Amino acid sequence: KNADKYSQVENPERTADILGISSVMVQDILGKRINNYKFDLQRMTSFEGDTGPYLQYAHARLCSITRKAALSEEDINSADLSLLTEPMAINLVRVISSWPDVVQNTLKTLEPTTILTYLFKMTHTLSTSYSHLRIVGSEPEVMKARMALYDASRVVLNNGMRLLGLTPLDRM
């Protein structure tokens, strides 16, 4: 629909394939292994709700924020995280910090839906935080701290998607 964004996608056919595969895989993993599910193509390809395209969008958005912030890895690594005092930031830190427990629980239960449910919780927390934790226009030190938080979110999202067999997209 958006010609400008479409022109920025390196390989539109590959991106479409990855989105399609993500759609089916997320729908398949979403339910517990012993339950059946209704195959609903329209729902699984939606960018709204708990779907593969929504996860891909969340990852691509974090990558876009990283590109636009134009901070070096050194800047992000040297961020003063004590500046993250907003309730939204604290909530996001709590969600990110539960990632190791989610992986351990998934190993015990052998239910990949545990990771998927966590990733959706994290992406919902992220999407509500964007308007409260702006990068562009904030003070330089606060910008670095917020970017470090978003970068940690991107890493966890990327790792979670890869654990599920998904290929995270940087642009879409």
Side-chain angles (χ1 to χ4, degrees), residues 94-149:
R94 284 189 179 124
V95 172
I96 292 169
S97 68
S98 68
W99 171 239
D101 295 333
V102 169
V103 174
Q104 285 295 326
N105 190 31
T106 302
L107 288 170
K108 287 179 188 170
T109 63
L110 300 177
E111 289 285 358
T113 191
T114 306
I115 289 176
L116 195 56
T117 301
Y118 167 83
L119 293 179
F120 284 126
K121 178 181 178 182
M122 188 181 78
T123 55
H124 295 309
T125 303
L126 272 166
S127 71
T128 59
S129 73
Y130 291 135
S131 61
H132 300 280
L133 304 174
R134 294 208 169 273
I135 300 291
V136 178
S138 58
E139 296 176 26
E141 290 303 310
V142 172
M143 178 182 177
K144 286 178 7 181
R146 289 176 178 172
M147 196 57 237
L149 182 60

Side-chain angles (χ1 to χ4, degrees), residues 46-106:
S46 173
F47 280 87
E48 296 173 3
D50 294 347
T51 64
Y54 178 77
L55 279 183
Q56 293 289 2
Y57 167 77
H59 186 267
R61 184 167 184 187
L62 286 168
C63 292
S64 174
I65 290 169
T66 301
R67 284 190 300 273
K68 288 178 182 172
L71 292 174
S72 70
E73 190 174 326
E74 185 179 304
D75 286 336
I76 293 171
N77 291 339
S78 67
D80 179 3
L81 301 181
S82 68
L83 297 173
L84 297 172
T85 58
E86 302 93 340
M88 287 288 183
I90 293 167
N91 191 32
L92 188 52
V93 167
R94 284 189 179 124
V95 172
I96 292 169
S97 68
S98 68
W99 171 239
D101 295 333
V102 169
V103 174
Q104 285 295 326
N105 190 31
T106 302

